[in-house]
Amino acid sequence: MTAPSKSAIEPYRILFPIAWLGAILSVGLWMVVSLSHKLSWGISAYPASLHAYGVYATFIYPAVAGFLLTAMPRFSGTPLPSLYLVGTVAGFSLASIAAFVSGQTILVCLFGALALGMTLHFVRSRMLQSNTVLPTYLKAFLPAGLGAALLGWILILVGLTLRDFVPGIAYESFLFSGRTLLFYCSISLIVLGAGSRIAVTIQASDHEDRHAWRRFLEENRTEPYLVTGLILAGTLLEIVGYSLDEDRSGTLVRAGALLEFAAMFYWLVLRFRIYRNSFRRAISTGLWLAFWMLLAGLASRVLTGAASVHWGHLFLVGGLALLIFSVMTRVVLSHGKWDLELENRSVLVWIPVILLSLAAATRATAHLMPASYVNHLGYASFLFCLAILIWLFRFFLLTIQKN
């Protein structure tokens, strides 16, 4: 039971809409670029870095913050965060969106790092104050994931500062290492931590052994730390590779990616048991697709080398975005006391699941059609934004209101 709080509003009601705004802007950028390419508007031909950092600073981590600031008090039996803390995280996220719109990449990353730092501080403090015995997977995965993300932002900021203000000094290894920590390591750990609680609850509800399924995860005291260690070791191998001037095709980089894939495969397949799904419900199907695309994206980093920058979007779009969409739907309906049947058979849930899957496939394969590459980025962006708008049409008012 969550203790009383001075918060007048649950954090997700503020941070989820901010995350969707950031998603539309940071991904919708490619529609603008595609039109500029056709109509000669003079926009940067390929603002890849601004897009990549913007997605994480304005969409993925505001969504993560909205979930964790709402869920951690329930996990730990502690009060919801103060309006000051929620407002600060929201303010930094909005500042990052403003920096994105103005094209200031360093500020996008700086404000994203500050918002993440506040979230990490909150999660750590609530774990220390917990009135309940937290499952080991929460204690192993979440702090490591948030810490890796913060370190990733710091390395990226160092790299961008060297690139822009200290000519002649090598900066690439800082950027590659930071991206590995932020884009893959951190979010993988956060998915395992939060997903072991909410995603398994959603997926297991169709199975007779659902209580034993959850109980096994909660009583597992050693494997979460071993999986965390493997993911961090793999990330370290990648960082060493980048420091030795390897690129995505390098031996150490791919060996590190293989370790991360193996750890994620072990937990998602053998512990989440993602091969089990009834396909009767939209959200559980969305989670099922998201987990397999996470694994496909991680495998592509081992198998495709330099091309993994494209195939990795199976992890980023099909995996993360679809996972966020699915979890957001459950959080909004559950915490708002709305009818959970909406997540099961509503066509306005099924359609975004399909559109996000198509967007992931379109973006991941765009490089296979070089003559129309930018156009395919625009197509993928359109499908992604359309999925979000359809979800908002049905769930936005449910997000900001309470039943």
Side-chain angles (χ1 to χ4, degrees), residues 63-396:
V64 168
F67 173 74
L68 291 179
L69 266 60
T70 302
M72 274 308 301
R74 287 167 169 78
F75 295 165
S76 60
T78 57
L80 288 168
S82 67
L83 282 175
Y84 172 79
L85 187 142
V86 177
T88 301
V89 174
F92 285 140
S93 299
L94 288 171
S96 191
I97 289 175
F100 178 86
V101 171
S102 62
Q104 301 297 316
T105 305
I106 287 182
L107 292 180
V108 170
C109 299
L110 175 62
F111 290 124
L114 291 172
L116 179 68
M118 295 289 291
T119 303
L120 173 58
H121 171 73
F122 174 80
V123 169
R124 181 178 178 275
S125 66
R126 291 310 166 87
M127 284 187 167
L128 293 175
Q129 300 167 18
S130 179
N131 295 318
T132 63
V133 178
L134 295 173
T136 299
Y137 59 73
L138 283 178
K139 295 186 286 186
F141 294 136
L142 283 183
L146 292 170
L150 186 58
L151 178 58
W153 277 129
I154 291 171
L155 291 176
I156 289 168
L157 285 165
V158 170
L160 292 175
T161 301
L162 292 176
R163 184 194 69 183
D164 295 346
F165 301 107
V166 190
I169 299 209
Y171 62 86
E172 291 88 351
S173 63
F174 289 99
L175 293 181
F176 280 124
S177 299
R179 290 169 186 168
T180 296
L181 281 162
L182 183 70
F183 293 178
Y184 295 102
C185 172
S186 67
I187 207 66
S188 294
L189 289 165
I190 291 169
V191 165
L192 296 186
S196 295
R197 189 65 172 257
I198 187 170
V200 170
T201 299
I202 296 171
Q203 278 202 299
S205 61
D206 288 334
H207 301 285
E208 293 181 358
D209 62 346
R210 59 186 177 275
H211 299 302
W213 189 347
R214 284 195 58 183
R215 189 165 55 251
F216 174 79
L217 288 178
E218 292 172 357
E219 294 174 352
N220 194 325
R221 300 186 183 280
T222 57
E223 289 183 4
Y225 288 110
L226 293 174
V227 171
T228 299
L230 277 177
I231 292 174
L232 293 177
T235 302
L236 181 59
L237 269 180
E238 290 194 60
I239 291 174
V240 171
Y242 289 131
S243 69
L244 296 175
D245 294 327
E246 287 189 359
D247 60 15
R248 294 182 181 89
S249 299
T251 301
L252 289 176
V253 171
R254 293 171 87 160
L258 178 59
L259 273 182
E260 295 163 44
F261 167 77
M264 287 288 284
F265 183 90
Y266 177 82
W267 193 264
L268 289 178
V269 175
L270 299 182
R271 296 298 172 248
F272 269 30
R273 297 196 283 179
I274 61 174
Y275 52 84
R276 298 182 64 178
N277 199 61
S278 67
F279 304 104
R280 292 180 299 179
R281 299 182 298 132
I283 291 305
S284 63
T285 300
L287 287 172
W288 182 86
L289 287 169
F291 289 138
W292 284 114
M293 287 199 189
L294 285 174
L295 290 176
L298 290 174
S300 76
R301 302 181 67 232
V302 182
L303 300 173
T304 63
S308 66
V309 69
H310 304 290
W311 291 110
H313 282 78
L314 293 174
F315 178 95
L316 302 171
V317 182
L320 292 188
L322 192 50
L323 186 63
I324 287 171
F325 158 83
S326 302
V327 171
M328 274 188 177
T329 304
R330 167 55 68 94
V331 169
V332 166
L333 295 178
S334 176
H335 288 258
K337 310 300 181 185
W338 303 102
D339 184 1
L340 287 180
E341 186 62 21
L342 287 173
E343 77 176 25
N344 295 339
R345 296 180 175 85
S346 172
V347 69
L348 297 182
V349 177
W350 278 105
I351 290 175
V353 168
I354 295 169
L355 290 175
L356 288 173
S357 301
L358 290 174
T362 303
R363 175 59 187 91
T365 58
H367 66 291
L368 301 178
M369 295 157 279
S372 58
Y373 173 68
V374 175
N375 289 339
H376 277 79
L377 299 187
Y379 302 151
S381 173
F382 172 76
L383 292 170
F384 183 95
C385 292
L386 180 60
I388 293 174
L389 291 174
I390 290 173
W391 188 90
L392 288 172
F393 175 77
R394 184 65 184 88
F395 291 99
F396 178 72

Side-chain angles (χ1 to χ4, degrees), residues 22-46:
I24 289 172
L25 292 173
S26 60
V27 177
L29 171 67
W30 289 119
M31 281 192 288
V32 179
V33 170
S34 179
L35 287 173
S36 174
H37 185 72
K38 292 180 178 180
L39 303 176
S40 301
W41 287 351
I43 295 174
S44 175
Y46 196 70

